[in-house]
Amino acid sequence: MLEVRDLVVGYGEAAALRGVSLDVTAGETVSLIGANGAGKSTLVKALMGMQPVTSGQVLLDGEDITRRAAADRPQLGMAIVPEGRRLFKEMTVHDNLRLGLHHRAARERADAGVDLAFEMFPVLKARSRQLCGTMSGGEQQMVALGRALVSRPRLLILDEPSLGLAPMVVDQVFEVIEAVTAQDVTVLLAEQNMHRALSLSDQGYVLADGRIVLTGTGAELLRSDRVRSAYLGER
């Protein structure tokens, strides 16, 4: 579904991504792991058209979308849960969810999309008229996930979905990610919680200093001495 070929992205003179290549097959969950500053968020932004690309290609279903505007991505079946959630805190849960209806096809099935979010996160239905700014961090992350899902994306990209959340909420977030994959949604997960991410992933890529340094199945990377030592803190 998604092919990234020799992607180079820079901020001024500094290169943040240095020839990154990866593949995401339809129906898979793929993790992008690495330490803070490795380039995970930069790659996510480049895939969503939110960060200019210096060179290389991003292909979706074989079509080159490298230079397509960020606003085009949702109608191509892509959605993102950004780092930090990026909600409108003075708006209600329901209104924030409807902001995920970016394109006409999604708006035509708006009620079904919002109902899906409520089904996956029952607490949001009970608090649909509550202002997002009055909710806990975990509840806000549920809104961010729901907002991405209302458009019924084929490819869901998550940028650090567990960042700053309590362990119990992290469990719930990963349960939802697993439930999403069961609905034939392809997932690309950029995450610092490497053990949890790799545990549910078909494939994984390890990013360091803007380069892919290791790849394999989720199980292979969890067994890798290099990953366990350098990234999971195990000896």
Side-chain angles (χ1 to χ4, degrees), residues 86-210:
R86 305 293 180 89
L87 300 175
F88 289 89
K89 295 184 179 181
E90 72 283 2
M91 294 171 57
T92 66
V93 168
H94 186 267
D95 288 342
N96 269 280
L97 291 175
R98 289 186 61 86
L99 290 175
L101 303 169
H102 299 285
H103 54 93
R104 179 179 297 176
R107 290 193 293 272
E108 288 175 350
R109 55 176 187 267
D111 290 342
V114 173
D115 286 345
L116 172 64
F118 287 157
E119 179 182 337
M120 303 201 80
F121 300 105
V123 67
L124 299 186
K125 183 173 184 179
R127 304 186 184 184
S128 64
R129 298 302 173 186
Q130 183 172 339
L131 298 182
C132 281
T134 65
M135 305 180 81
S136 70
E139 291 166 342
Q140 289 184 24
Q141 186 63 284
M142 294 178 198
V143 178
L145 278 161
R147 180 184 58 192
L149 292 173
V150 295
S151 64
R152 299 294 183 96
R154 296 185 302 119
L155 174 62
L156 178 63
I157 301 177
L158 302 104
D159 191 7
E160 305 286 7
S162 73
L163 188 65
L165 300 181
M168 183 179 298
V169 181
V170 170
D171 289 343
Q172 188 171 11
V173 167
F174 276 95
E175 287 172 3
V176 170
I177 294 171
E178 194 166 7
V180 167
T181 63
Q183 298 188 17
D184 297 323
V185 177
T186 304
V187 172
L188 177 61
L189 173 62
E191 176 61 57
Q192 286 191 52
N193 190 331
M194 301 170 199
H195 192 279
R196 294 300 302 268
L198 291 174
S199 295
L200 60 79
S201 293
D202 299 288
Q203 295 289 327
Y205 292 86
V206 180
L207 190 65
D209 296 323

Side-chain angles (χ1 to χ4, degrees), residues 52-88:
V53 171
T54 302
S55 63
Q57 287 184 303
V58 178
L59 306 174
L60 184 68
D61 297 325
E63 177 187 352
D64 189 343
I65 64 169
T66 313
R67 310 295 173 186
R68 295 282 294 268
D72 293 340
R73 270 27 179 214
Q75 66 186 11
L76 297 174
M78 302 174 70
I80 182 174
V81 179
E83 181 181 355
R85 300 181 284 272
R86 305 293 180 89
L87 300 175
F88 289 89

